[in-house]
Structure formats: structure tokens, C-alpha cells
Amino acid sequence: MTIIKVDEPELATQVLNFIGNNFFTGERLQRFVQSHLVALSSVSQMTLNYLTGENKHIELYAWVDAKHCLVAGMTLNYYPFERLSKQLYFSAPTNLEKISVEPFSKLVSQVESIQMAVELGYSQ
């Protein structure tokens, strides 16, 4: 089995349909595929300068078997920190007595300086 970075549009559409079928159908699936195709990064190395505004940029990967059949797909989603900082995540203290929802910026407030955030999405 091999993991490959997907840059070619036809294969990207196939992989995104594969991933999206686990979550969406019909029109929502097509919106998922199209929004990710538009965000597909064309740069060889993601840098802070490449992330501008509120836009998301993704890298797409496929896990293929020896016959090049698709086994799994994965997206790496890059965002400017200001976009992801407002998103809410579950927060659980070490004693797990109380689970709350906090903005990402508060959860990582101990870190000195964050300028880029990466989110992993996958399907198998």
C-alpha cells in the first residue's frame, strides 16, 4: 500500500467523492467536492504567506493498494489562525468531571504565538 499526494484534478475529484460519501449525499456531496477542489493547494510547501484572508487551503492524499485502487483518502486543511481561533471545541479537564465548549484560541492560550493551524480530515 502507498500514500500519494493528489494534485491531478480527476483523481482529486475521485478521492473527494470517496471521502465525502461517508458524510454527505446529493447536492451536499457535490458542494463538499467543489469547495475542496477550489481550496486544493498548488504550492509545494505551505507557508504563512500563502494563507491569506479567511480562506482554507487543503492538501489531498490517497492511500492506494498495489493495483492503485483507492483504499482511503485524507485532507490536510490549513487555515490562518484568526479563522480557526473562533471555532468551538470540547474542553475536558484532567479529572473529566465537567466537559465544556471553548473557542480554540482559549484552549491554546498558553502558547506564545500561533499563526497557522492544521486540521486533519480522513475517510476509510
Side-chain angles (χ1 to χ4, degrees):
M1 304 240 183
T2 306
I3 296 175
I4 57 172
K5 184 175 181 194
V6 178
D7 294 318
E8 191 262 290
E10 188 174 311
L11 182 56
T13 300
Q14 179 186 353
V15 174
L16 289 168
N17 272 298
F18 181 86
I19 294 170
N21 272 319
N22 289 285
F23 305 101
F24 310 110
T25 59
E27 187 178 312
R28 289 194 68 202
L29 173 61
Q30 292 311 307
R31 280 196 313 251
F32 168 82
V33 170
Q34 290 306 312
S35 70
H36 280 67
L37 284 174
V38 169
L40 197 59
S41 174
S42 60
V43 298
S44 60
Q45 181 179 5
M46 191 63 63
T47 65
L48 187 57
N49 291 335
Y50 187 70
L51 297 176
T52 57
E54 291 283 313
N55 296 328
K56 153 175 97 169
H57 299 277
I58 70 165
E59 290 180 348
L60 183 60
Y61 293 87
W63 183 11
V64 295
D65 64 16
K67 296 180 182 178
H68 293 282
C69 294
L70 185 58
V71 175
M74 177 183 80
T75 62
L76 282 177
N77 305 305
Y78 295 87
Y79 303 92
F81 182 74
E82 62 269 8
R83 176 178 175 181
L84 200 58
S85 67
K86 302 169 200 157
Q87 190 166 324
L88 300 177
Y89 287 87
F90 287 108
S91 173
T94 54
N95 61 11
L96 294 178
E97 289 179 11
K98 179 183 171 186
I99 296 175
S100 61
V101 176
E102 304 285 349
F104 185 66
S105 59
K106 183 175 180 181
L107 295 174
V108 297
S109 61
Q110 305 87 340
V111 178
E112 290 288 322
S113 174
I114 297 177
Q115 298 176 335
M116 182 188 308
V118 180
E119 178 181 53
L120 172 64
Y122 66 93
S123 177
Q124 181 177 8

